[in-house]
Amino acid sequence: MRRVRGFEVGSNEKATTSMANESTTLSVLEHLFDIERALEAAQQALAHCLDSLKTQAPQAVPLPPKDAAKRRQLSTNWARIGGHDFDPEPTDLFETDEFRKLWIPGPHRRGCYAAACGGLWSLSRILKIPVYKVSTTGADRVWTRNNESRRDRHGALWHNGQAYVEDAGWDDWYPSHLHPQRFPSPGSPVIVQERAIIVPLPCGMDPRKFDQLFDAETRKGALNRWVMTPEGRDHCGFLGVDPAIGQRFSAYRGADQSRISPADELCAFSIYSGADRIIAIAEKILLEAVGLKPVRGAPAKG
């Protein structure tokens, strides 16, 4: 025997304590075994589910033809001609006596257009963004200019990291139909046609000046520049697309020489809201050319 805190502990008490400890240990072990068996069963069930998912083909959601044909909807805030800060509103200035006194039509008219081709359509599908060639030419040269783009295969080149390569489908350029929704402004001299926006220039305004001002605004929507911005790179990264494919170039060949130039006319563009922006940009240029400035927040009546 031994004495513990003034009490004597006998052999029977030792045996009882030992048996109790063994019983507790066995109970804990059985509980742990139950947990292990439950985890194994859950793991097997999960593996079965994963195998089932691997063998099942994803099911397409049935949609009406109008919705099924739509481009994949992404929340990307892609570039726009005129810039994101440009919020065009029709103006009443063209119907004022002040404008009528200042407006003297000159001999020149420009044709603003948005062109497309097979190669550009394919690029738009890859990038999930509508892209058109937005530019200007003489009012009587819209089709001629597009025929020239066909021969030059405008925008067919891009750099794949090792060399310039030329894609197919960039030799069938044509001016697209335009569908402005809110423009031109009342009394505006701008003329809307199916495939071009005709802009009469005021007396004293050189066509090259108009093109320079127009190009400065449309380049804000240039695809070449946008794919190099953080937003553009993130968009391409999400799609798993090399941003370089959106940086397009044209090879202008002449005799034994050639020149490679960036195709900055290729812009993210809608034939609806973008058409309104073309007209709004042209109207702004015309008003400022005669010394007037559109007042933002003062749209046309009606």
Side-chain angles (χ1 to χ4, degrees), residues 7-234:
F7 296 94
E8 292 181 352
V9 180
S11 60
N12 289 338
E13 292 177 338
K14 288 182 179 180
T16 301
T17 302
S18 177
M19 291 176 64
N21 289 339
E22 289 179 0
S23 176
T24 301
T25 302
L26 289 173
S27 177
V28 170
L29 288 174
E30 288 179 357
H31 186 62
L32 290 175
F33 287 146
D34 289 341
I35 293 175
E36 183 181 14
R37 285 191 289 269
L39 290 174
E40 289 178 352
Q43 187 176 16
Q44 290 176 358
L46 180 60
H48 178 73
C49 290
L50 291 175
D51 290 339
S52 177
L53 289 174
K54 290 178 182 178
T55 57
Q56 292 180 2
Q59 299 298 314
V61 177
L63 293 172
K66 182 178 179 181
D67 291 332
K70 287 182 178 178
R71 179 183 288 102
R72 181 178 177 182
Q73 300 299 303
L74 299 175
S75 59
T76 303
N77 190 18
W78 34 272
R80 286 167 173 78
I81 63 171
H84 289 297
D85 295 335
F86 182 50
D87 186 18
E89 292 283 353
T91 176
D92 289 326
L93 282 176
F94 294 106
E95 293 192 315
T96 63
D97 290 337
E98 188 177 8
F99 174 77
R100 294 189 183 100
K101 292 177 182 177
L102 296 170
W103 177 253
I104 303 174
H108 304 293
R109 302 198 313 165
R110 303 304 284 167
C112 306
Y113 64 91
C117 68
L120 195 59
W121 181 85
S122 297
L123 181 63
S124 295
R125 299 279 291 183
I126 292 171
L127 295 176
K128 314 302 181 190
I129 291 175
V131 184
Y132 290 81
K133 177 180 182 284
V134 183
S135 191
T136 60
T137 187
D140 59 346
R141 294 193 75 256
V142 173
W143 281 100
T144 302
R145 185 70 193 97
N146 278 267
N147 288 335
E148 292 169 351
S149 294
R150 291 183 177 193
R151 290 194 294 271
D152 288 330
R153 295 187 292 281
H154 183 86
L157 273 63
W158 66 286
H159 200 283
N160 65 3
Q162 297 179 343
Y164 284 102
V165 293
E166 184 174 86
D167 290 337
W170 296 77
D171 56 357
D172 57 352
W173 285 97
Y174 60 91
S176 298
H177 281 94
L178 297 172
H179 304 277
Q181 306 295 294
R182 303 163 57 220
F183 283 82
S185 298
S188 171
V190 172
I191 303 166
V192 177
Q193 294 184 348
E194 289 83 356
R195 296 176 185 267
I197 307 299
I198 306 303
V199 184
L201 303 186
C203 186
M205 187 171 204
D206 185 83
R208 289 172 295 183
K209 181 62 176 179
F210 175 85
D211 292 352
Q212 179 185 5
L213 296 172
F214 184 85
D215 290 346
E217 294 301 319
T218 57
R219 295 304 179 268
K220 295 176 182 177
L223 184 66
N224 272 359
R225 302 179 183 183
W226 183 75
V227 294
M228 297 304 295
T229 65
E231 179 98 20
R233 291 197 299 270
D234 287 346

Side-chain angles (χ1 to χ4, degrees), residues 233-277:
R233 291 197 299 270
D234 287 346
H235 177 88
C236 293
F238 176 79
L239 296 173
V241 175
D242 184 355
I245 200 172
Q247 280 201 311
R248 311 302 300 192
F249 300 84
S250 302
Y252 298 104
R253 300 173 178 88
D256 295 331
Q257 294 180 330
S258 63
R259 172 173 57 90
I260 295 179
S261 297
D264 287 334
E265 301 93 340
L266 305 185
C267 299
F269 183 84
S270 163
I271 57 176
Y272 300 97
S273 61
D276 279 333
R277 283 177 170 257

